[in-house]
Amino acid sequence: MVVASAGVVEAQHLTPLSYQTVNPPTTEGEGLKIYTSSLLERLLKVDDKAYEFNAIMFLYFSWKDTGAREKMEKSTLAYRNGTGECYMPCIADSTPSASASSFSPEFSCCDDIWLPQVVAYNLLPPFHTQFDGIVVGTDGTVGWYKSLYARYFTGMEFRNFPLDSQRLQISLGLNTVSDASQEISFIPSASSTAFMMRQGIEGHKGALDSVSGWEIKEVSMEAVEVPLMEAVEYFIYDFGNGPANRDPLPMAGNKSNSASPFTNPELKHYGINVYIDVKRMSDYYIINQIVPIYVLVLVSILTYFHNPSKLDVRIGVNVTCFLALTGIKWVVNRELPNSSYPTTVSMIIVTSYALFGFAVVESLVVYTVYKAKKQEEEEEGKEEIPEVDSKVASHPSSPRSPTLIKQGGLQTILSNSKKWSSFSKGIRKIKGDHDFEVTETAIIIDMCSLTLVALTSVISSAIYFNY
């Protein structure tokens, strides 16, 4: 028994209207098997912001029908001798020649031949059929092909953007549900990532991009066979609420009811999912988004090589990086949908904001340390000056000279500092920063902060890109 499903949008029905009233062929044993091939002619567009994609797909279905050849020849001969009309040409939208003698598809009529009632559930109407036709074999076999240009909605996941891969899905099914006495099921057959049109250009040996921003990896299929009652209950109880207690003919419930196709345990839903696996071409995003972000982080790191006394320069560098990163963030957000989870790029951006903010706070800290030490040295100098003999004070080599006291303290600091202090001092010399009124504490804070920022950048990046 075959029962028509309710509520199917006609614009999603791939079978021509003239073939939707023919009874399916009778089978014995395992039921009617529809072997399905899906060949991707062209993936035209992947709109990840709208969770949609456009594609031209060549679909081919084949099955056994022992009475199909007789029906085709009978209707064709009736058309040729003028006793009948050709309502269903084997090649759609064509007019077979009445004077032809062969039974090739282009010369024949396929009236009363059964076609599976195929529905594309996630197709966004309208769709366009470029060409389709029916091939009837002499051994009781039938093939139906269809070149379909359509737009589909599909789920996508962007956690690893821009290193993400997507599985674009086309959900095909029958506009009927079957019981065990007349099962009509799909069997995956051939598949291809290219068909009809060669992807290369004559004289060009390298690979060419077939769709902007994406690389097509594979086309695969998966057959769906599930009891209709189980499928309905999954959607109702996992994503909604069950029927009311007094519902006379509920869609779901513990009790089976053969009067409703939704609660009849004997009925099954058959379908097939076509998957187009694509990988984002990440080089474009790495060069134009990821690399500039890390360049800004490197520029911010220069903060720790500026003299602590130059607070305006240190803060100015990070404010500039903050504004530049905001511009990059705007570009990234413009290309992605508003998802409920962070992406790799968004986490890198947030981390970069935190590093810039940390650099500003750290600059305020070392500036405070520098000012406190400078004020302390000045107070010590004022206390020691009255005790210095005028002759000794005027002598340029006197260890009690205020100038040399300051220089002596600096020399002691530099001689006792760690390797990172010498490194920081060397960088400041290269930069032309000869104002060495810094303290050992400020240098140590700068170098510890530099180490912390570098480790944070490396570790967070490793985590994000393996997220």
Side-chain angles (χ1 to χ4, degrees), residues 3 5 8-9 12-15 34 36 59 61 114-123 144 148 152 169-178 184-186 222-226 268-274:
V3 180
S5 297
V8 175
V9 179
Q12 294 177 312
H13 211 301
L14 306 187
T15 308
I34 303 173
T36 306
L59 299 173
F61 307 93
W114 177 84
L115 296 184
Q117 311 300 297
V118 180
V119 177
Y121 295 113
N122 63 327
L123 182 148
W144 171 41
L148 182 68
Y152 307 88
Q169 179 175 329
I170 301 176
S171 296
L172 302 178
L174 294 175
N175 189 22
T176 56
V177 289
S178 308
I184 303 175
S185 58
F186 289 96
E222 179 185 24
V224 177
E225 179 180 344
V226 60
K268 291 185 178 181
H269 166 71
Y270 295 94
I272 189 167
N273 293 329
V274 180

Side-chain angles (χ1 to χ4, degrees), residues 227-371:
L228 182 62
M229 185 172 67
E230 178 182 322
V232 172
E233 289 182 349
Y234 165 74
F235 288 108
I236 291 179
Y237 291 113
D238 285 31
F239 300 96
N241 301 308
N245 293 331
R246 296 185 178 182
D247 190 334
L249 195 62
M251 290 190 65
N254 296 327
K255 297 181 179 180
S256 62
N257 188 341
S258 59
S260 171
F262 303 111
T263 55
N264 187 340
E266 298 297 326
L267 298 181
K268 291 185 178 181
H269 166 71
Y270 295 94
I272 189 167
N273 293 329
V274 180
Y275 300 115
I276 305 173
D277 293 325
V278 296
K279 186 179 186 302
R280 193 185 300 272
M281 295 179 180
S282 57
D283 291 349
Y284 168 83
Y285 298 94
I286 291 175
I287 294 173
N288 293 282
Q289 295 179 5
I290 304 294
V291 171
I293 293 174
Y294 283 108
V295 169
L296 292 177
V297 172
L298 291 176
V299 171
S300 176
I301 287 177
L302 294 178
T303 300
Y304 308 106
F305 299 113
H306 280 290
N307 194 288
S309 63
K310 297 184 177 180
L311 181 62
D312 56 339
V313 176
R314 293 169 70 113
I315 293 180
V317 168
N318 288 280
V319 170
T320 302
C321 292
F322 184 93
L323 295 175
L325 182 60
T326 301
I328 296 176
K329 180 176 179 292
W330 181 82
V331 174
V332 172
N333 290 342
R334 187 181 60 179
E335 297 181 356
L336 285 177
N338 299 324
S339 60
S340 59
Y341 47 82
T343 65
T344 298
V345 174
S346 63
M347 291 189 291
I348 292 175
I349 290 175
V350 171
T351 302
S352 300
Y353 275 133
L355 295 178
F356 299 160
F358 175 79
V360 171
V361 174
E362 194 270 352
S363 296
L364 293 172
V365 171
V366 295
Y367 179 75
T368 303
V369 172
Y370 157 74
K371 292 293 290 184

Side-chain angles (χ1 to χ4, degrees), residues 22-315:
V22 182
N23 292 324
T26 57
T27 58
E28 297 180 359
E30 298 181 353
L32 182 60
K33 306 297 183 183
I34 303 173
Y35 290 83
T36 306
S37 299
S38 57
L39 312 176
L40 181 63
E41 294 186 43
R42 188 77 181 214
L43 179 61
L44 300 172
K45 180 182 179 182
V46 178
D47 188 350
D48 45 7
K49 194 173 181 64
Y51 294 88
E52 297 175 359
F53 69 95
N54 295 49
I56 302 176
M57 181 68 71
F58 184 89
L59 299 173
Y60 179 72
F61 307 93
S62 62
W63 61 94
K64 292 182 179 181
D65 185 351
T66 55
R69 184 73 182 186
E70 181 182 352
K71 293 178 181 179
M72 185 267 290
E73 292 182 356
K74 180 179 179 181
S75 61
T76 301
L77 291 174
Y79 169 71
R80 291 175 181 175
N81 59 31
T83 59
E85 296 291 335
C86 186
Y87 296 104
M88 295 178 248
C90 293
I91 302 299
D93 300 324
S94 67
T95 302
S97 173
S99 60
S101 58
S102 70
F103 292 101
S104 299
E106 62 270 23
F107 303 133
S108 304
C109 301
C110 288
D111 295 25
D112 298 328
I113 292 180
W114 177 84
L115 296 184
Q117 311 300 297
V118 180
V119 177
Y121 295 113
N122 63 327
L123 182 148
L124 295 171
F127 67 87
H128 172 67
T129 299
Q130 300 198 122
F131 56 89
D132 67 333
I134 303 172
V135 179
V136 181
T138 58
D139 55 350
T141 57
V142 180
W144 171 41
Y145 60 87
K146 189 179 191 71
S147 179
L148 182 68
Y149 166 61
R151 181 167 57 103
Y152 307 88
F153 62 89
T154 186
M156 298 185 185
E157 207 267 347
F158 302 101
R159 294 183 190 275
N160 295 326
F161 174 85
L163 305 178
D164 57 320
S165 297
Q166 303 294 341
R167 168 162 279 192
L168 311 178
Q169 179 175 329
I170 301 176
S171 296
L172 302 178
L174 294 175
N175 189 22
T176 56
V177 289
S178 308
D179 63 9
S181 64
Q182 182 61 25
E183 293 184 349
I184 303 175
S185 58
F186 289 96
I187 305 295
S189 189
S191 63
S192 174
T193 59
F195 190 62
M196 291 290 182
M197 177 178 173
R198 293 184 179 272
Q199 301 296 320
I201 297 177
E202 186 176 355
H204 188 90
K205 296 182 179 180
L208 296 178
D209 299 340
S210 58
V211 59
S212 177
W214 298 89
E215 178 186 359
I216 303 171
K217 306 298 291 185
E218 183 184 13
V219 174
S220 59
M221 290 175 289
E222 179 185 24
V224 177
E225 179 180 344
V226 60
L228 182 62
M229 185 172 67
E230 178 182 322
V232 172
E233 289 182 349
Y234 165 74
F235 288 108
I236 291 179
Y237 291 113
D238 285 31
F239 300 96
N241 301 308
N245 293 331
R246 296 185 178 182
D247 190 334
L249 195 62
M251 290 190 65
N254 296 327
K255 297 181 179 180
S256 62
N257 188 341
S258 59
S260 171
F262 303 111
T263 55
N264 187 340
E266 298 297 326
L267 298 181
K268 291 185 178 181
H269 166 71
Y270 295 94
I272 189 167
N273 293 329
V274 180
Y275 300 115
I276 305 173
D277 293 325
V278 296
K279 186 179 186 302
R280 193 185 300 272
M281 295 179 180
S282 57
D283 291 349
Y284 168 83
Y285 298 94
I286 291 175
I287 294 173
N288 293 282
Q289 295 179 5
I290 304 294
V291 171
I293 293 174
Y294 283 108
V295 169
L296 292 177
V297 172
L298 291 176
V299 171
S300 176
I301 287 177
L302 294 178
T303 300
Y304 308 106
F305 299 113
H306 280 290
N307 194 288
S309 63
K310 297 184 177 180
L311 181 62
D312 56 339
V313 176
R314 293 169 70 113
I315 293 180

